Amino acid sequence: MTNHSETATRGNGCLESFLARQRVVMADRLIPEASRSGSILDIGCGSFPLFLQTVRFANKYGIDQISFTDETRWENNGISISRLDIAQENKLPHEDNFFAVVTMLAVFEHIEPTHLPNILREIFRVLKQGGLFIMTTPAVWTDRLLRFLACCNLVSRDEINEHKGAYSHNMIADFLEKGGFLRSRMNFGKFEAGMNLWVTACK
């Protein structure tokens, strides 16, 4: 039986664990080897920070709006976890030019679109020059499909019902430009049969 306190997403869904691990694998592939000696921040890491546990990095940080019941456990695993609702706080608790990589995996779609420009400006601020922002999000055309899959208990209803938007690569690029990133320093791709998008943006 799955211990739901140790899943990367909330709610039930037969495919949730598989999809979460697919995101982890994709994001890890996008990280330059030279960056791994620095610090990484995973925004929306969840109560069970699967990505940070998996990725090889010198210094690991995670933030999420949920409460963490076992912060000592993650500290013992080299992960610094903080509770923060970035959409409400409007500021990341980190210095300028601090991180080599910032990730946001399956989080973009959970944020009100009006909050995204400021969040992306904060990400741009805390990234080192040459640092990389990596994000994944469902493709815009999958919205109805995901809601159907949630009704079938294949993906989490809790997660899908919280979606605030659905995005194409061009829409994401527009938001990233508002955050200070240059379109010429962005890269775009798809995975999981085109159902999910990945985007990287270099500062």
Side-chain angles (χ1 to χ4, degrees), residues 8-11 16 106 109-110 155-163:
T9 57
R10 292 165 300 121
E16 282 297 312
E109 66 273 15
H110 290 273
V155 298
S156 168
R157 291 190 189 194
D158 292 354
E159 295 286 345
I160 300 304
N161 288 339
E162 267 196 10
H163 284 191

Side-chain angles (χ1 to χ4, degrees), residues 4 6 37 54 59 63 101 109 115 117 129 152 195 197 203:
H4 293 294
E6 295 201 345
S37 60
T54 304
N59 305 296
I63 62 169
V101 174
E109 66 273 15
H115 294 305
Q129 192 62 41
C152 298
M195 291 182 62
L197 311 179
K203 179 174 177 180

Side-chain angles (χ1 to χ4, degrees), residues 125-179:
R125 177 184 68 80
V126 301
L127 274 173
K128 292 182 176 181
Q129 192 62 41
L132 194 67
F133 172 55
I134 300 171
M135 61 160 288
T136 70
T137 192
V140 64
W141 62 267
T142 65
D143 187 60
R144 288 185 179 180
L145 175 60
L146 289 172
R147 294 186 187 280
F148 172 75
L149 293 176
C151 289
C152 298
N153 293 318
L154 292 174
V155 298
S156 168
R157 291 190 189 194
D158 292 354
E159 295 286 345
I160 300 304
N161 288 339
E162 267 196 10
H163 284 191
K164 305 294 194 303
Y167 302 95
S168 66
H169 280 139
N170 282 335
M171 295 165 71
I172 295 167
D174 288 341
F175 276 110
L176 286 169
E177 284 189 314
K178 291 176 182 177

Side-chain angles (χ1 to χ4, degrees), residues 83-148:
R83 185 181 183 189
L84 178 77
D85 185 344
I86 189 174
Q88 299 301 319
E89 294 293 334
N90 294 317
K91 190 173 180 64
L92 288 168
H94 307 287
E95 300 174 4
D96 296 357
N97 308 305
F98 187 80
F99 292 104
V101 174
V102 175
T103 55
M104 187 183 280
L105 310 182
V107 174
F108 208 80
E109 66 273 15
H110 290 273
I111 300 172
E112 290 287 352
T114 53
H115 294 305
L116 286 171
N118 182 68
I119 291 171
L120 292 168
R121 281 192 288 270
E122 276 296 286
I123 291 171
F124 188 86
R125 177 184 68 80
V126 301
L127 274 173
K128 292 182 176 181
Q129 192 62 41
L132 194 67
F133 172 55
I134 300 171
M135 61 160 288
T136 70
T137 192
V140 64
W141 62 267
T142 65
D143 187 60
R144 288 185 179 180
L145 175 60
L146 289 172
R147 294 186 187 280
F148 172 75

Side-chain angles (χ1 to χ4, degrees), residues 10-31:
R10 292 165 300 121
N12 298 314
C14 298
L15 298 177
E16 282 297 312
S17 178
F18 170 77
L19 295 174
R21 292 187 181 280
Q22 290 294 105
R23 288 192 294 269
V24 166
V25 170
M26 177 54 63
D28 193 39
R29 287 176 181 169
L30 295 170
I31 297 173

